[in-house]
């Protein structure tokens, strides 16, 4: 495959670049953002009210031991209005941002979900499934904290700091410079520690994942561990991984604690430094006691956000990690592109032709090498070969669940890459080896073959395929719930439902992957009959595991190691004494005693 | 919080005490350090505010008033304030580090204890509890439990701070003390209201996130079907509907959270304002000095963070106690006593004798009733029956993993459940239908803990796994991924079979162990085992007629009872058995 492999798990680039791309991917966040930021700034500046009030009170008489009551009341009222306004502005900005970010996350989630379904089956391995689910759930969720609080906290806290600094500069430039000079080393320390804290946190996340793997293995492998008496080593392994997790956790905790304590310590040093310098300069500069006190309160206000920044940095790093993964998913190009002005398939059973088809999965060797054959319209072909010979992959290529690396596939004389997806999906239906059922009723599951179907038609479809007795035998009939992945039904029953679903879709061409797993004998006969009726009059390609299917096919195609090695009628191939004859012989010995 | 301490929840304080004592006994050092750090930190906060006020009173105001301050005294005062601040910062560091240590160690300790207990508990326990539940006992529950021991020292330190503050402020100025003090119940009230208000929407968010995850999982699971039936748009709509519900729940939560957050923010700001104005009046009347007022403003500003934190911690108490209680239930399960006076296994091939074997679930539902049969040394016996006939339960009982409720299993004349576990593991090897493959290399999975073995080649060959190893560039060192995801079902089964064979067991037990292997290969494997391991006694649970035909004897189970014992050909006279096993042949007739 020429596309990016599915495990290009996260995009690279600086934190800033990722945040910028990430924000571009959620345009909804920009709705009303200026107003939100306005409120946020308002709430930042509003916090200056109390320090300014204290300064005014002290300087307008309190330092001499008495202040005029009327003046005090006026000042108090103004400050009260400011405090109340600040609270309202804080609330408005937070709420607006929360609502906007939830809309943005919703959009991102749905876009990522749709994108997953646009990717070819090459990306849908069992291994990748858990990761894909996390992309649209927990990874998107990590953005929530950042968008709702972390993102705007940069703005609000920055505003508070700038406002405090401006107010401080208004009172005294020299003291402000002292404050800034003393803050710079703190910022540098925080910067270097925050980098290490980020690394420590991602180490913890890694250890948590390892621990989960090891612990779930110990739990799910309980029988094996007991049967082989490897309790000791297994316990040692688990304990070691618990210890690694504990140590990583402790390290991150110590770093975080140090960071917070440093902020505490610097607050003390800066306040004391400002007082000392203020005292040394003294009243000669024309300052008042009230201004110095207000200045100290402003310094506290100025430093408060710094401690908070350590947490914001953590949220930001979490969000960037989530963004890297979600953006990487959205970056995977659709490898099976919808044709422009796709062609329609005719209603009649089509001819299927493969010309020099080669294919390989990402990160592994070739699965199919130069395969060519044709299935005349309305005929049945069986694909036979050992496990891993490429049979199932071949059906996926015919159904255009992935495109061949080389060669082409023609259905009804048209290259599958040029057929309109809608037409292809309605005229050609695949019944996989392990048919998937949604966690609803039999009726709902059959109906997805053709959504407009009536209940009567569904019942008739069961009868058409000779499965009327099976349906009648179910206590709740069509309303029988099938459970997760259809697990309340037996493997054979699941296949039967899938066959009826395929029948309702009424395709002209069928691709069937016969199940390998053992099926209850009672259902087995029904299945064989259903299969026979389903394929009658349709072009079909069946992956045959039980060679009884091959015996009655019009032609047998034998694959070995991804290559077509034999083709012909059953009897012809048996008498030829090649690969097929060998397979048939051992199959026969396996099933007949 | 108030209602949590009311008589309606009498166990809460007792259980909190029990949890704290357990943590204290396990990690006394960090617990003491955390407590000492917190107390010193709280004391430092009060001292810092008082000293700052004194500084204003004795140095700042005189300096700006008449300009005359003794430099030495001023310097001493400044240095004293600095020292208090530094001590407080140090205490904060001790408290944070100690709290981290308590949390990490207590959490890890509980996890280790639970994992150890899991290993000691019998298979029956594991069968009775779902994986998700067992996983939570080792992950989220200890994590919740560790919260309280880690944070409680801080709560104690801050409570002390409140008491000292209350004492100091009442002495200095009762009026301002009462005004400032009113903030505490107001904040606690808002906080407890907040906890209650957000609980329901927070739970709803969790539940809906779960549903979004379920839809995504199902949809991606069925990606193949979604594609082949062109259901992408329908699926997108289904996912968008669930995501929309999640979004709405999160917005509801946000409305309440931001509202209450703003209130919690407003209360201390308003209190400061009132203290300043009321304090100014007090200064006017000469009751207090400006310095005292500065101390008050500073101190009450400092109380805000601890108050919110304490409210938060107390709000989490029920959750953390519940987590601890769930961990305790696992630790309270007693492992089976070790085999006393173990019976020795004889050398050489082993015969197996099953007499009146009965098994019932704890709720009394019988699974096996009076099952009896014999397996001569070196023979192969197949067990078959329809779904729910008790095959797998019988298999586990014969593998020594599930002690029967009644009857006996004798291996080489010795009671299977009174053989030393090490002897039994050396003599028997079981392979399960769902083979458990560990994340690691193929070699590690086959050899498990035993060192490299010359039997490996033979084992791989007999399990028809040679090609699957040689076909990979890294051979035996190929990593198979978590739970063996990089292998197909049949490959996993063959690897698991090799794992059993490499140990040269005298009793080999196979539970549908080749169900995902194609018929031809399966037949090769079974024939190979019979030919090359003539002295190995083999029990095989199967529904493959060919395998049944190869067995010396077949035990046919029907609803937990033996419905027939004998060679395959003889059993075919039983109608149900015939129907069960001969479907393939009839398929040929129909075809």
């Amino acid at each position: 495959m020429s596309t990016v492999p599915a495990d290009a798990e996260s995009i690279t680039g600086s934190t800033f670049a990722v945040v910028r791309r990430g924000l571009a991917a959620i345009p909804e966040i920009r709705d009303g953002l200026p107003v939100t930021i306005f409120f946020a700034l308002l709430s930042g500046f509003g916090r200056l009210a109390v320090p300014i009030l204290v300064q005014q009170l002290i300087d307008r008489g309190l330092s001499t031991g008495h202040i005029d009551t009327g003046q005090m009341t006026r000042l108090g009222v103004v400050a009260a209005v400011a405090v109340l306004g600040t609270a309202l502005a804080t609330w408005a900005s937070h709420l607006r941002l929360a609502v906007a970010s939830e809309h943005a996350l919703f959009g991102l989630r749905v876009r990522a979900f749709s994108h997953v379904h646009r990717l070819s089956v090459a990306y849908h391995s069992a291994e990748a499934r858990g990761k894909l689910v996390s992309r649209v759930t927990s990874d998107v969720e990590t953005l929530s904290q950042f968008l709702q609080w972390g993102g705007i906290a940069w703005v609000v806290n920055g505003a508070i700091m700038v406002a405090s600094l401006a107010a401080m500069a208004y009172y005294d430039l020299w003291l402000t410079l002292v404050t800034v000079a003393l803050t710079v080393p703190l910022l540098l320390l925080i910067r270097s520690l925050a980098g290490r804290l980020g690394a420590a946190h991602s180490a913890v996340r890694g250890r948590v994942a390892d621990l989960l793997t090891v612990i779930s293995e110990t739990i799910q492998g309980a029988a094996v561990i007991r049967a082989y008496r490897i309790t000791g080593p297994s316990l040692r392994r688990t304990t070691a991984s618990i210890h690694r997790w504990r140590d990583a956790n402790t390290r991150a905790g110590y770093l975080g604690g140090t960071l917070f304590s440093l902020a505490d310590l610097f607050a003390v040093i800066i306040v004391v430094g400002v007082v000392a310098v203020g005292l040394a300069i003294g009243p000669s500069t024309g300052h008042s006691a009230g201004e110095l006190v207000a200045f100290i309160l402003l310094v506290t206000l100025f430093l408060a956000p710094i401690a908070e920044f350590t947490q914001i940095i953590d949220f930001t790093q979490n969000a960037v990690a989530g963004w890297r993964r979600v953006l990487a998913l959205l970056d995977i190009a659709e490898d099976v592109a919808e044709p422009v002005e796709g062609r329609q398939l005719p209603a009649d059973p089509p001819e299927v032709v493969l010309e020099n088809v080669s294919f390989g999965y990402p990160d592994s060797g070739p699965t199919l090498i130069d395969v060519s054959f044709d299935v005349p319209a309305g005929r049945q072909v069986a694909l036979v070969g050992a496990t891993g010979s490429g049979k199932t992959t071949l059906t996926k290529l015919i159904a255009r669940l992935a495109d061949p690396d080389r060669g082409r596939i023609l259905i009804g004389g048209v290259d599958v890459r040029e057929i309109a997806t809608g037409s292809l999906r309605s005229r050609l239906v695949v019944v996989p080896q392990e048919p998937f059922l949604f966690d609803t009723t039999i009726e709902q599951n059959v109906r997805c073959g053709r959504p407009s179907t009536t209940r009567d038609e569904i019942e008739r479809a069961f009868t058409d395929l000779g499965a009327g007795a099976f349906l009648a035998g179910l206590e709740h009939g069509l309303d029988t719930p099938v459970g997760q992945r259809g697990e309340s039904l037996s493997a054979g029953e699941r296949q039967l439902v899938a066959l009826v679903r395929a029948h309702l879709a009424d395709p002209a061409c069928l691709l069937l992957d016969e199940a390998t797993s053992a099926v209850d004998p009672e259902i087995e006969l029904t299945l064989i009959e259903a299969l026979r009726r389903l394929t009658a009059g349709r072009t079909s390609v069946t992956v045959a595991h039980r060679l009884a299917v091959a015996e009655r096919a019009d032609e047998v195609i034998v694959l070995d190691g991804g290559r077509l090695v034999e083709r012909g009628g059953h009897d012809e191939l048996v008498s030829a004494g090649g690969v097929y004859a060998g397979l048939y012989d051992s199959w026969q010995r396996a099933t007949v005693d | 919080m108030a209602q949590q301490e009311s008589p309606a929840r009498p166990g809460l304080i007792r259980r909190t005490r029990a949890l704290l004592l357990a943590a204290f006994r396990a990690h006394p050092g960090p617990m003491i350090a955390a407590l000492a750090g917190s107390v010193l930190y709280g004391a430092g906060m009060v001292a810092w505010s008082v000293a700052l006020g004194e500084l204003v009173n004795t140095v700042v105001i005189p300096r700006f008033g008449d300009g005359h301050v003794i430099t030495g005294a001023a310097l001493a005062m400044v240095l004293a304030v600095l020292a208090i601040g530094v001590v407080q910062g140090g205490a904060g560091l001790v408290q944070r580090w100690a709290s981290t240590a308590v949390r990490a160690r207590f959490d890890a300790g509980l996890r280790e204890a639970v994992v150890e207990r899991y290993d000691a508990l019998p298979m029956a326990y594991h069968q009775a509890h779902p994986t998700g539940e067992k996983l939570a006992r080792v992950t989220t529950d200890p994590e919740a439990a560790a919260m309280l021991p880690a944070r409680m020292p801080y709560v104690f330190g801050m409570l002390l701070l409140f008491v000292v503050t209350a004492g100091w402020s009442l002495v200095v100025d009762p009026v301002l003390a009462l005004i400032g003090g009113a903030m505490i119940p107001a904040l606690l009230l808002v906080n407890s209201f907040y906890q209650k208000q957000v609980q329901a929407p927070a739970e709803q968010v969790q539940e809906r996130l779960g549903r979004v995850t379920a839809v995504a999982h199902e949809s991606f699971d069925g990606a193949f079907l979604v594609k082949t039936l062109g259901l992408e748009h329908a699926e997108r709509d289904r996912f968008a509907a669930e995501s929309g519900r999640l979004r709405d729940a999160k917005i509801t939560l946000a409305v309440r959270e931001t509202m209450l957050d703003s209130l919690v923010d407003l209360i201390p700001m308003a209190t400061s304002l009132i203290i300043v104005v009321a304090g100014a009046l007090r200064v006017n009347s000469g009751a207090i000095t400006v310095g005292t007022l500065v101390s008050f403003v500073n101190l009450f500003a400092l109380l805000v963070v601890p108050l919110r934190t304490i409210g938060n911690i107390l709000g989490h108490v029920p959750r953390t106690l519940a987590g601890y209680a769930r961990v305790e239930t696992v630790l309270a399960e007693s492992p089976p006593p070790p085999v006393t006076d173990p019976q020795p296994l004889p050398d050489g091939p082993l015969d197996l004798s099953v007499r009146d074997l009965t098994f019932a679930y704890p709720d009394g539902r019988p699974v096996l009733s009076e099952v009896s049969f014999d397996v001569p040394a070196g023979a192969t016996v197949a067990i078959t029956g329809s779904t729910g006939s008790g095959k797998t339960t019988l298999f586990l009982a014969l593998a020594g993993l599930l002690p029967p409720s009644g009857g006996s299993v004798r291996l080489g004349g010795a009671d299977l459940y009174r053989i030393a576990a090490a002897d039994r593991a050396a003599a028997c090897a079981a392979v399960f239908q769902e083979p458990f493959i560990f994340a690691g290399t193929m070699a590690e999975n086959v050899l498990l803990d035993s060192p490299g073995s010359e039997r490996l080649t033979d084992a791989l060959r007999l399990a028809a796994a040679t090609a699957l190893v040689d076909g990979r560039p890294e051979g035996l060192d190929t990593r198979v991924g978590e739970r063996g995801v990089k292998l197909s079902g049949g490959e996993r089964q063959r690897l698991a079979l090799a794992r059993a064979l490499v140990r040269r067991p005298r009793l080999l037990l196979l539970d549908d162990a080749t169900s995902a292997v194609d018929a031809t290969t399966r037949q090769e494997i079974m024939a190979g085992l019979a030919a090359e391991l003539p002295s190995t006694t083999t029990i095989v649970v199967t529904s493959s007629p060919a395998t049944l035909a190869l067995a010396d004897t077949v035990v046919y189970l029907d609803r937990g009872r033996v419905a027939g014992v004998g060679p395959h050909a003889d059993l075919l006279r039983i109608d149900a058995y015939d129907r069960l096993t001969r479907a393939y042949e009839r398929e040929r007739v129909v075809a």
Side-chain angles (χ1 to χ4, degrees):
Chain A
M1 302 265 302
S2 53
T3 42
V4 194
D7 54 325
E9 273 177 26
S10 57
I11 60 162
T12 51
S14 71
T15 301
F16 184 70
V18 172
V19 170
R20 220 176 45 188
R21 269 204 63 195
L23 288 175
I26 42 170
E28 297 93 336
I29 197 81
R30 284 199 294 269
D31 287 347
L33 194 61
V35 179
T36 307
I37 290 180
F38 170 74
F39 279 126
L41 293 177
L42 212 60
S43 95
F45 283 105
R47 276 159 220 273
L48 299 178
V50 172
I52 292 175
L53 176 69
V54 172
Q55 177 260 327
Q56 289 286 325
L57 287 178
I58 292 180
D59 285 348
R60 291 180 188 227
L62 215 55
S63 59
T64 61
H66 194 272
I67 183 169
D68 176 54
T69 320
Q71 200 171 29
M72 196 188 73
T73 313
R74 269 200 310 282
L75 285 170
V77 168
V78 171
V81 169
V83 164
L84 211 63
T86 304
L88 283 175
T90 311
W91 179 61
S93 64
H94 282 196
L95 184 59
R96 290 176 59 87
L97 194 63
V99 172
S101 59
E102 283 316 320
H103 282 283
L105 293 183
F106 167 78
L108 182 63
R109 221 188 275 284
V110 174
R111 281 193 289 279
F113 177 87
S114 302
H115 192 76
V116 169
H117 274 309
R118 279 197 293 269
L119 298 175
S120 79
V121 284
Y123 293 97
H124 285 277
S125 64
E127 195 179 353
R129 188 163 308 131
K131 288 177 188 162
L132 293 175
V133 173
S134 331
R135 293 298 170 272
V136 302
T137 54
S138 51
D139 287 335
V140 169
E141 211 51 34
T142 58
L143 302 178
S144 179
Q145 268 182 331
F146 173 76
L147 291 179
Q148 286 203 7
W149 185 73
I152 202 140
W154 286 104
V155 178
V156 174
N157 287 344
I160 293 177
M161 290 182 75
V162 168
S164 320
L165 216 56
M168 281 155 67
Y170 170 75
Y171 284 125
D172 191 298
L173 208 56
W174 281 109
L175 289 183
T176 310
L177 284 179
V178 170
T179 311
V180 172
L182 287 171
T183 311
V184 169
L186 170 65
L187 290 179
L188 290 178
L189 264 173
I190 286 183
R191 206 185 130 95
S192 91
L193 274 178
R196 280 205 264 167
L197 187 64
H201 276 283
S202 61
V204 171
R205 280 193 287 269
R207 294 286 92 83
V208 167
D210 292 348
L211 185 59
L212 262 182
T213 307
V214 171
I215 289 181
S216 43
E217 279 185 359
T218 342
I219 290 173
Q220 293 175 313
V224 171
I225 289 171
R226 277 162 187 69
Y228 291 84
R229 213 176 147 65
I230 46 167
T231 315
S234 145
L235 205 56
R236 274 198 296 281
R237 196 167 75 109
T238 316
T239 312
S241 117
I242 291 178
H243 286 174
R244 276 196 299 275
W245 163 81
R246 181 194 65 195
D247 296 342
N249 222 350
T250 310
R251 203 167 312 121
Y254 283 173
L255 267 175
T258 310
L259 208 59
F260 271 99
S261 303
L262 268 179
D264 272 4
L265 192 65
F266 267 83
V268 168
I269 292 171
I270 293 170
V271 168
V272 172
V274 165
V275 170
V277 174
L279 284 175
I281 300 171
S284 56
T285 51
H287 286 306
S288 63
E291 282 173 6
L292 186 58
V293 172
F295 200 95
I296 293 171
L297 292 180
L298 284 173
V299 168
T300 319
L301 204 59
F302 172 71
L303 293 175
I306 291 184
E308 215 171 85
F309 270 125
T310 61
Q311 211 180 352
I312 303 174
I313 290 171
D314 200 32
F315 283 168
T316 309
Q317 275 164 344
N318 261 333
V320 166
W323 249 325
R324 283 184 198 280
R325 291 191 291 266
V326 177
L327 290 173
L329 169 68
L330 292 173
D331 274 353
I332 302 176
E334 282 176 48
D335 47 347
V336 175
E338 166 87 30
V340 191
E341 292 182 38
R343 297 171 57 181
Q344 300 293 317
L345 280 178
D348 299 332
E351 177 196 30
V352 176
V353 178
L354 280 81
E355 291 178 355
N356 312 100
V357 169
S358 296
F359 178 80
Y361 287 99
D363 288 339
S364 66
T367 308
L368 291 170
I369 306 155
D370 200 23
V371 176
S372 302
F373 64 89
D374 62 300
V375 187
R379 305 299 284 276
Q380 276 105 52
V381 158
L383 286 177
V384 174
T387 313
S389 59
K391 306 179 298 267
T392 300
T393 303
L394 195 56
T395 61
K396 289 181 182 173
L397 294 186
I398 298 174
R400 209 182 171 221
L401 297 172
D403 283 335
D405 297 338
R406 276 185 303 284
R408 59 181 195 150
I409 296 166
L410 306 170
I411 296 178
V414 184
D415 190 320
V416 284
R417 281 172 288 210
E418 290 164 16
I419 302 171
T421 311
S423 175
L424 182 70
R425 296 290 170 242
S426 67
R427 303 312 302 140
L428 180 147
V429 162
V430 187
V431 181
Q433 202 175 63
E434 296 286 338
F436 183 85
L437 299 188
F438 289 104
D439 185 7
T440 61
T441 60
I442 290 185
E443 180 184 347
Q444 295 298 329
N445 269 294
V446 171
R447 177 162 287 140
C448 41
R450 197 173 72 211
S452 60
T453 319
T454 65
R455 205 175 152 91
D456 283 348
E457 283 171 323
I458 292 176
E459 276 170 8
R460 201 167 328 124
F462 272 92
T463 324
D464 283 353
L465 289 191
F470 159 75
L471 191 61
L474 292 172
E475 193 185 337
H476 300 288
L478 282 178
D479 297 323
T480 307
V482 303
Q484 259 185 36
R485 301 174 53 90
E487 272 157 13
S488 306
L489 303 182
S490 74
E493 291 167 341
R494 282 199 291 275
Q495 285 168 34
L496 193 57
V497 172
L499 291 183
V500 177
R501 175 162 68 195
H503 178 62
L504 259 186
D506 191 24
C509 177
L510 264 171
L511 301 170
L512 298 155
D513 201 344
E514 205 197 16
T516 40
S517 53
V519 159
D520 263 340
E522 277 90 310
I523 199 92
E524 181 80 42
L525 292 176
T526 318
L527 270 176
I528 293 161
E529 180 60 18
L531 208 59
R532 196 182 61 76
R533 296 194 192 183
L534 184 62
T535 48
R538 291 177 169 130
T539 311
S540 75
V541 176
T542 305
V543 175
H545 299 285
R546 273 159 290 182
L547 298 191
V549 175
E551 279 175 18
R552 59 168 192 265
D554 294 316
E555 189 176 31
V556 178
I557 307 278
V558 185
L559 292 178
D560 190 24
R563 292 177 192 278
L564 190 154
V565 290
E566 285 171 19
R567 62 181 289 192
H570 168 78
D571 298 333
E572 184 188 335
L573 290 180
V574 169
S575 49
V579 178
Y580 183 77
L583 284 171
Y584 184 72
D585 183 49
S586 59
W587 174 76
Q588 220 173 12
R589 271 190 287 113
T591 49
V592 187
D593 34 299
Chain B
M1 271 135 287
Q3 82 280 5
Q4 283 155 15
E5 284 149 28
S6 70
R9 312 275 297 269
L12 219 57
I13 291 175
R14 186 179 48 76
R15 286 161 61 204
T16 304
R17 202 173 51 210
L19 170 55
L20 291 178
L21 276 176
F24 189 82
R25 273 195 293 269
H27 311 285
M31 282 291 272
I32 290 173
L35 200 57
S38 300
V39 168
L40 199 59
Y41 185 69
M45 276 168 104
V46 182
W48 162 255
S49 296
V50 173
L52 206 61
E54 283 303 300
L55 187 72
V56 170
N57 258 350
T58 58
V59 186
V60 176
I61 290 189
R63 174 86 171 114
F64 286 87
D66 48 24
H68 283 286
V69 168
I70 306 150
T71 316
L75 196 65
M77 196 66 211
V78 169
L79 286 179
V81 172
L82 183 65
I84 290 171
V86 170
V87 168
Q88 192 215 344
L93 186 67
V94 170
Q95 179 257 323
R96 289 183 185 116
W97 280 29
S99 163
T100 295
V102 169
R103 183 195 295 268
R105 289 185 203 176
F106 188 63
D107 189 344
L110 289 183
R111 289 178 193 222
E112 279 175 52
V114 173
V115 169
E116 248 171 70
R117 186 54 51 98
Y118 278 167
D119 271 342
L121 288 171
M123 231 7 240
Y125 175 86
H126 285 271
Q127 284 196 315
H129 296 84
T131 303
E133 181 192 313
K134 281 183 287 185
L135 206 52
R137 302 293 163 272
V138 202
T139 50
T140 48
D141 289 336
E143 191 180 333
M147 191 283 285
L148 210 54
R151 303 306 297 277
M152 221 46 192
Y154 178 80
V155 173
F156 287 142
M158 290 305 113
L159 286 179
L160 189 74
L161 163 72
F162 294 160
V163 171
V164 174
T165 306
W168 175 83
S169 54
L170 278 172
V171 169
V172 175
D173 187 52
V175 176
L176 283 190
L178 285 177
I179 295 174
M183 172 178 83
I184 297 178
L187 268 181
L188 288 181
L189 264 177
V190 167
N191 203 58
S192 94
F193 180 69
Y194 166 91
Q195 302 276 1
K196 258 182 280 175
Q197 284 290 300
V198 300
Q199 199 178 2
E203 277 165 13
Q204 197 167 40
V205 165
Q206 279 313 313
E207 189 230 311
R208 291 187 179 176
L209 184 61
R211 288 226 295 271
V212 167
T213 309
V215 169
H217 206 283
E218 189 183 52
S219 188
F220 294 167
D221 231 5
F224 194 85
L225 176 72
V226 170
K227 263 179 210 309
T228 55
L229 291 178
L231 298 173
E232 286 96 342
H233 287 290
E235 283 299 286
R236 196 201 86 104
D237 292 346
R238 191 159 77 100
F239 182 75
E242 284 297 348
S243 299
R245 278 192 277 279
L246 171 65
R247 175 198 59 205
D248 297 343
K250 288 187 74 183
I251 288 178
T252 308
L253 179 64
V255 168
R256 296 190 182 180
E257 271 185 343
T258 52
M259 177 64 156
L260 293 154
D261 262 347
S262 305
L263 265 180
V264 169
D265 221 29
L266 175 66
I267 291 171
M269 267 180 36
T271 310
S272 298
L273 185 75
I274 296 169
I275 288 180
V276 169
V277 173
L281 286 173
R282 300 286 288 166
V283 174
N284 260 356
S285 65
I288 57 168
T289 62
V290 177
T292 310
L293 179 56
V294 171
S295 296
F296 261 102
V297 172
N298 208 328
L299 190 54
F300 281 98
L302 285 179
L303 290 186
V304 174
V305 173
L307 269 173
R308 289 184 71 168
T309 313
I310 289 177
N312 213 334
I313 295 171
L314 295 182
H316 278 98
V317 166
R319 209 173 69 82
T320 184
L321 286 179
Y324 186 59
R326 286 193 292 265
V327 169
E328 290 276 81
T329 53
V330 176
L331 299 182
E333 294 276 346
S334 40
V339 176
T340 49
D341 184 19
Q343 300 184 352
L345 266 181
D347 292 333
L350 298 169
D351 66 318
L352 187 76
S353 153
V354 181
R355 282 286 162 276
D356 301 324
L357 188 73
T358 303
F359 184 84
Y361 283 116
D363 63 14
R365 239 167 347 116
V367 187
L368 294 173
S369 314
E370 293 163 14
V371 172
S372 301
F373 60 91
D374 290 299
V375 186
T380 296
V381 164
I383 299 171
T384 196
S386 56
T387 316
S389 59
K391 287 176 296 194
T392 295
T393 306
L394 178 58
F395 179 83
L396 287 175
L398 298 183
L401 295 174
L402 203 62
S405 326
S408 70
V409 182
R410 303 191 82 82
L411 181 64
D415 183 341
L416 182 65
Y417 286 89
R418 294 194 57 195
I419 300 169
D423 289 351
R424 192 174 66 214
C428 313
V431 187
F432 306 89
Q433 186 180 2
E434 302 267 325
F436 197 80
I437 302 291
F438 298 89
T441 64
M442 288 193 178
E444 283 164 359
N445 265 293
V446 173
L447 295 172
L448 292 178
D449 203 39
S450 53
S453 158
E454 71 282 6
R455 297 168 180 171
L456 189 58
T457 321
D458 276 349
L460 289 173
R461 184 175 49 80
L462 278 175
T466 310
L468 89 90
V469 171
D470 293 346
R472 286 178 165 76
E474 289 175 77
L476 274 169
D477 293 326
T478 306
R479 303 198 74 83
V480 296
E482 206 172 306
R483 288 199 271 156
V485 287
K486 296 190 178 163
L487 304 176
S488 74
E491 288 174 334
R492 282 199 288 272
Q493 286 190 334
R494 281 180 280 167
L495 214 54
L497 182 58
R499 173 193 301 173
L501 295 175
V502 82
R503 305 176 159 233
R504 289 283 163 86
R506 287 185 281 164
L507 174 65
L508 177 64
L509 300 118
L510 308 173
D511 180 10
D512 245 340
T514 52
S515 60
V517 176
D518 60 83
T520 316
T521 313
R522 182 189 308 148
Q523 210 47 26
E524 278 168 24
I525 293 172
M526 295 315 295
L529 291 182
E532 297 202 28
L533 304 174
S535 63
T536 302
T537 311
T538 307
I539 309 271
V540 46
V541 172
T542 184
S543 55
S544 149
T547 309
L548 290 171
L550 270 182
D552 299 312
T553 308
V554 175
V555 176
Y556 171 47
L557 284 183
D558 186 26
R559 275 162 290 172
R561 293 177 178 277
V562 176
V565 180
H568 177 60
D570 293 358
L571 289 184
L572 286 174
R573 281 195 290 269
I574 305 173
D575 242 15
Y577 181 83
D578 181 53
R579 246 186 293 127
L580 185 72
T581 59
R582 297 188 44 130
Y584 283 114
E585 269 181 282
R586 282 198 292 183
E587 172 190 349
R588 293 167 55 78
V589 174
V590 172

